[in-house]
Amino acid sequence: MEFKDREFIPVLLGGDINTYSVARAFYEQYQVKTYIFGKFATGPSYGSKIIEYHPNPKIDTDDYFLQTVNGFAKKHKDKKIMLIGCGDSYVALISKHKAELEKNIIAPYIDFDLMNSLQQKETFYKLCEKHGVDYPGTIIYDQSMGLDFEMNFPYPVILKPSDSISYWEHPFATQNKIYTIKDRKELEKVIRDIYGAGYTDKLIIQDMIPGNDEYMRVLTSYSDRNGKVKMMCLGHVLLEEHTPHGLGNHAVIITEPNEELMMKVKNLLEDLHYVGFSNFDIKYDRRDGKYRFFEINTRQGRSNYYVTGSGFNVAKYVVEEYVYGKDLPLEFAKEEHLWMTVPKAVAFKYIKEEANREKMRRLLKEKKMVNPVFKRGDFKPRRYLAMVKNHLRQFGNFKKYYS
């Protein structure tokens, strides 16, 4: 693989498919090598030809993070360092310490107070109400409420932490990303388990929107330094992962346009003077035909290559604005494109709607499909075998966990 010397160096924090997808976008747009600092020597970025990967379990701690990124920037004083977080905790670290970063580091993020506020899901729901963005029926549960509180929607219900960063800092045996709760007894047990592990923030209890994965949507946006939205790409999620820790992670997406929906979110983001990438989880409610928003992620999502694959390279937006000083036009993704991280046989087995299966067949035939971790030319036997093994593991994962 060939590389070019540019005015900038991408530096990513993390280690999962998010980092590889962003690094791949940087290579395909600019032929640059990306430096990634993650916790462990595993994952799709480890062993890649387009990446120099540095593992250290302390990378998500304040002192080591600053020491690492500032040290890297000092070694490359003649370059602009594009610093991008690929997980909530990494994005929070960058935002929290923006004022302490070396002058040649570019960190396209909102201030920490706003970011911290948006990470609390109840804050996001207040913004939704202001801008006419629909969201599910919700109870904001505080530990002080005890277990004697009223429910105003039927079971099953969804339960999840309001502060996901704090939640994962307090692990326990039955910890899930999201819980589907079948009755009051289970609800009370899960609440006790979560707070018993040391979590102290609020919980979100929500009306469960009917329908399988095929009712889900994902929206990715980019806002420039002036808070103006410059790119929006909506994806129709056809399949998600169902393992306990991966529940809700996207597995199959087809890009689809919905300008009316996107304009509501554009207004919300611009009212906030939001800066950088944002990502929204949405579900279509067949009961009333509304799209209900679950949360905002203050970063590009782990499935961000569905955006790049649709023709809207995520690396291009930060580089063209912050390195080359360009004023970007507003762009909406309109062409269908298929993104998937599971074997085709898994996708066709577990995606139920024939219309969606037919779309997949057509896009596969037209070669409008990508699996982000398998890039032509990025071949090292050890990494490739690890990726194939993980890919084939999805047969067992879906057989065991999909219901």
Side-chain angles (χ1 to χ4, degrees):
M1 306 189 79
E2 296 182 1
F3 296 91
K4 292 184 179 179
D5 187 45
R6 300 281 188 181
E7 301 91 332
F8 64 92
I9 301 173
V11 173
L12 311 183
L13 301 177
D16 66 0
I17 192 174
N18 192 326
T19 58
Y20 187 80
S21 297
V22 176
R24 178 171 174 174
F26 270 107
Y27 180 79
E28 290 175 346
Q29 189 73 26
Y30 301 106
Q31 293 76 55
V32 292
K33 181 167 281 192
T34 294
Y35 290 76
I36 294 181
F37 297 93
K39 279 190 168 186
F40 309 111
T42 58
S45 292
Y46 182 65
S48 165
K49 286 184 177 181
I50 63 173
I51 291 162
E52 188 165 317
Y53 189 90
H54 298 271
N56 192 302
K58 297 187 292 183
I59 189 60
D60 62 349
T61 61
D62 295 73
D63 291 343
Y64 189 77
F65 155 74
L66 276 172
Q67 174 190 328
T68 301
V69 297
N70 280 339
F72 185 89
K74 288 174 184 175
K75 287 179 182 176
H76 302 276
K77 286 184 178 179
D78 60 329
K79 304 286 187 182
K80 292 184 178 180
I81 307 303
M82 307 298 304
L83 183 60
I84 297 177
C86 297
D88 291 332
S89 60
Y90 296 115
V91 169
L93 272 175
I94 296 170
S95 179
K96 182 179 177 183
H97 294 290
K98 272 201 303 183
E100 302 162 73
L101 297 175
E102 289 291 313
K103 298 246 186 284
N104 61 326
I105 294 178
I106 294 170
Y109 293 101
I110 53 177
D111 291 338
F112 183 70
D113 287 345
L114 176 57
M115 180 177 288
N116 195 43
S117 174
L118 289 174
Q119 294 284 4
Q120 313 301 313
K121 293 178 177 64
E122 63 266 32
T123 303
F124 173 63
Y125 297 141
K126 288 176 184 176
L127 285 168
C128 287
E129 288 181 6
K130 179 179 178 181
H131 292 278
V133 175
D134 298 298
Y135 64 94
T138 299
I139 293 172
I140 309 296
Y141 177 84
D142 188 280
Q143 194 174 5
S144 64
M145 293 164 60
L147 296 176
D148 187 22
F149 62 94
E150 290 187 11
M151 292 281 293
N152 53 7
F153 35 80
Y155 291 95
V157 298
I158 298 297
L159 183 144
K160 55 192 174 184
S162 178
D163 186 343
S164 58
I165 296 176
S166 174
Y167 175 70
W168 289 113
E169 289 173 350
H170 298 90
F172 55 96
T174 57
Q175 189 175 35
N176 286 353
K177 184 179 177 182
I178 301 169
Y179 296 85
T180 302
I181 306 291
K182 65 180 183 297
D183 56 31
R184 184 73 184 211
K185 182 179 178 181
E186 184 182 11
L187 177 66
E188 293 180 2
K189 180 185 183 304
V190 172
I191 289 174
R192 284 194 296 267
D193 287 347
I194 291 172
Y195 287 112
Y199 178 77
T200 58
D201 215 302
K202 296 174 183 176
L203 297 174
I204 306 296
I205 304 170
Q206 287 184 324
D207 180 23
M208 185 175 174
I209 310 302
N212 62 13
D213 298 347
E214 294 168 73
Y215 287 82
M216 295 298 297
R217 303 293 191 277
V218 57
L219 176 63
T220 301
S221 302
Y222 178 77
S223 302
D224 69 12
R225 69 178 89 203
N226 299 313
K228 296 298 182 184
V229 173
K230 295 299 182 179
M231 181 276 293
M232 305 192 90
C233 183
L234 180 70
H236 183 175
V237 180
L238 303 186
L239 192 64
E240 296 180 338
E241 293 181 24
H242 287 259
T243 59
H245 282 265
L247 189 64
N249 289 341
H250 304 139
V252 181
I253 299 171
I254 292 180
T255 309
E256 69 174 23
N258 186 326
E259 195 163 322
E260 180 183 354
L261 182 67
M262 290 190 273
M263 287 303 295
K264 286 184 180 181
V265 179
K266 179 178 180 291
N267 294 337
L268 184 154
L269 290 169
E270 292 185 347
D271 184 38
L272 278 172
H273 299 286
Y274 187 91
V275 172
F277 287 104
S278 54
N279 178 261
F280 301 84
D281 291 323
I282 310 161
K283 191 169 187 179
Y284 177 74
D285 192 339
R286 66 191 184 203
R287 297 172 298 186
D288 56 12
K290 293 181 178 180
Y291 290 89
R292 302 198 181 275
F293 282 64
F294 293 119
E295 62 185 353
I296 178 174
N297 295 305
T298 54
R299 53 175 171 79
Q300 73 289 346
R302 72 191 302 279
S303 57
N304 66 80
Y305 201 87
Y306 90 89
V307 182
T308 298
S310 299
F312 299 84
N313 186 292
V314 294
K316 179 186 73 173
Y317 292 94
V318 288
V319 171
E320 296 301 306
E321 181 184 5
Y322 287 95
V323 177
Y324 299 125
K326 293 184 180 178
D327 183 18
L328 305 170
L330 173 61
E331 300 176 299
F332 292 136
K334 296 179 179 178
E335 299 296 323
E336 288 183 334
H337 192 271
L338 174 62
W339 172 98
M340 60 197 305
T341 59
V342 294
K344 294 171 192 174
V346 170
F348 280 104
K349 180 175 181 178
Y350 292 97
I351 292 170
K352 305 301 181 185
E353 289 289 331
E354 183 54 34
N356 291 331
R357 291 155 62 93
E358 183 52 40
K359 273 187 187 178
M360 287 175 57
R361 291 188 193 98
R362 174 171 54 80
L363 292 169
L364 286 165
K365 186 176 180 180
E366 294 172 358
K367 298 190 182 339
K368 294 180 179 178
M369 174 268 178
V370 68
N371 182 320
V373 303
F374 294 108
K375 173 172 174 52
R376 186 183 297 275
D378 190 6
F379 180 85
K380 286 185 179 179
R382 187 173 177 182
R383 176 188 179 272
Y384 180 76
L385 289 173
M387 293 303 99
V388 169
K389 185 177 179 181
N390 185 62
H391 193 62
L392 297 177
R393 191 179 293 126
Q394 296 290 359
F395 285 100
N397 287 346
F398 275 85
K399 185 176 181 180
K400 182 176 181 180
Y401 293 108
Y402 188 92
S403 61

